[in-house]
Coordinates of all heavy atoms in Angstrom, one line a residue:
Chain A
S8 N -13.2 40.5 -0.8 CA -11.8 40.4 -1.3 C -10.8 41.0 -0.3 O -9.6 40.8 -0.4 CB -11.7 41.1 -2.7 OG -11.9 42.4 -2.5
L14 N -0.8 34.6 -2.4 CA 0.2 33.6 -2.1 C 1.6 34.1 -2.5 O 1.7 34.9 -3.4 CB -0.1 32.3 -3.0 CG -1.4 31.6 -2.8 CD1 -1.4 30.3 -3.6 CD2 -1.6 31.2 -1.3
A28 N 0.1 21.1 -5.9 CA -1.1 20.9 -6.7 C -2.3 20.6 -5.7 O -3.4 21.1 -5.9 CB -1.0 19.8 -7.7
K39 N -7.2 40.6 -12.8 CA -7.6 42.0 -12.7 C -7.0 42.7 -13.9 O -5.8 43.1 -14.0 CB -7.0 42.5 -11.4 CG -7.5 44.0 -11.1 CD -6.9 44.4 -9.8 CE -7.3 45.8 -9.5 NZ -6.6 46.2 -8.2
G42 N -8.7 47.0 -14.0 CA -9.5 47.2 -12.8 C -10.7 46.2 -12.7 O -11.4 46.3 -11.7
E51 N -10.1 21.9 -9.2 CA -9.4 20.8 -9.9 C -8.1 21.2 -10.4 O -8.0 22.3 -11.1 CB -10.3 20.3 -11.0 CG -9.7 19.2 -11.9 CD -10.7 18.7 -13.0 OE1 -11.9 19.2 -13.0 OE2 -10.3 17.9 -13.8
Y55 N 2.3 18.5 -13.2 CA 3.2 18.0 -14.3 C 4.6 18.1 -13.8 O 5.1 19.2 -13.6 CB 2.9 18.9 -15.6 CG 1.6 18.5 -16.2 CD1 0.4 19.0 -15.8 CD2 1.6 17.5 -17.2 CE1 -0.8 18.5 -16.3 CE2 0.4 17.0 -17.8 CZ -0.8 17.6 -17.3 OH -2.0 17.1 -17.8
S63 N 4.6 15.8 -19.5 CA 4.9 17.3 -19.5 C 5.5 17.8 -20.8 O 6.3 17.1 -21.4 CB 5.9 17.5 -18.3 OG 6.4 18.8 -18.4
A65 N 7.8 19.7 -20.8 CA 9.2 19.8 -20.6 C 9.9 18.5 -20.4 O 11.1 18.4 -20.0 CB 9.5 20.6 -19.3
G81 N 9.6 29.5 -9.7 CA 8.1 29.3 -9.4 C 7.4 30.6 -9.2 O 8.0 31.6 -8.7
G91 N -5.5 24.6 -31.1 CA -5.7 25.8 -31.9 C -6.8 26.7 -31.4 O -7.2 27.8 -32.0
L95 N -4.8 27.3 -22.2 CA -4.8 26.6 -20.9 C -3.8 27.2 -19.9 O -2.6 27.5 -20.3 CB -4.4 25.1 -21.1 CG -5.2 24.2 -22.0 CD1 -5.0 22.8 -21.6 CD2 -6.6 24.6 -22.1
N97 N -1.5 27.5 -16.6 CA -0.7 26.7 -15.6 C 0.1 27.6 -14.7 O 0.4 28.7 -15.0 CB 0.3 25.8 -16.3 CG -0.2 24.8 -17.3 OD1 -0.2 23.6 -17.0 ND2 -0.7 25.2 -18.4
I120 N -19.0 37.3 -12.2 CA -19.7 36.4 -13.1 C -20.3 37.0 -14.3 O -20.3 36.4 -15.4 CB -20.8 35.6 -12.2 CG1 -20.1 34.7 -11.2 CG2 -21.7 34.8 -13.1 CD1 -21.0 34.1 -10.2
M123 N -17.6 37.3 -16.8 CA -17.2 35.9 -17.3 C -18.2 35.5 -18.4 O -17.9 34.9 -19.4 CB -17.2 34.9 -16.2 CG -16.1 35.1 -15.1 SD -16.0 33.7 -14.0 CE -15.5 34.4 -12.5
I156 N 3.8 35.8 -17.1 CA 3.4 36.9 -16.2 C 3.7 36.4 -14.8 O 3.5 35.3 -14.4 CB 1.9 37.3 -16.4 CG1 1.7 38.7 -16.0 CG2 1.0 36.3 -15.7 CD1 0.3 39.2 -16.4
K175 N -9.7 14.7 3.5 CA -10.8 13.8 3.2 C -11.8 14.5 2.2 O -12.7 13.8 1.7 CB -11.6 13.6 4.5 CG -12.2 14.8 5.1 CD -13.1 14.5 6.3 CE -12.3 13.9 7.4 NZ -13.0 14.1 8.7
N202 N -17.3 15.7 -4.8 CA -18.7 16.1 -4.9 C -18.9 17.5 -5.3 O -19.9 18.2 -4.9 CB -19.4 15.9 -3.5 CG -19.4 14.5 -3.1 OD1 -19.6 13.6 -3.8 ND2 -19.1 14.3 -1.8

Side-chain angles (χ1 to χ4, degrees):
Chain A
S8 65
L14 298 183
K39 185 176 176 186
E51 177 177 355
Y55 286 83
S63 170
L95 304 205
N97 295 252
I120 290 171
M123 297 190 209
I156 204 169
K175 64 172 66 157
N202 301 319

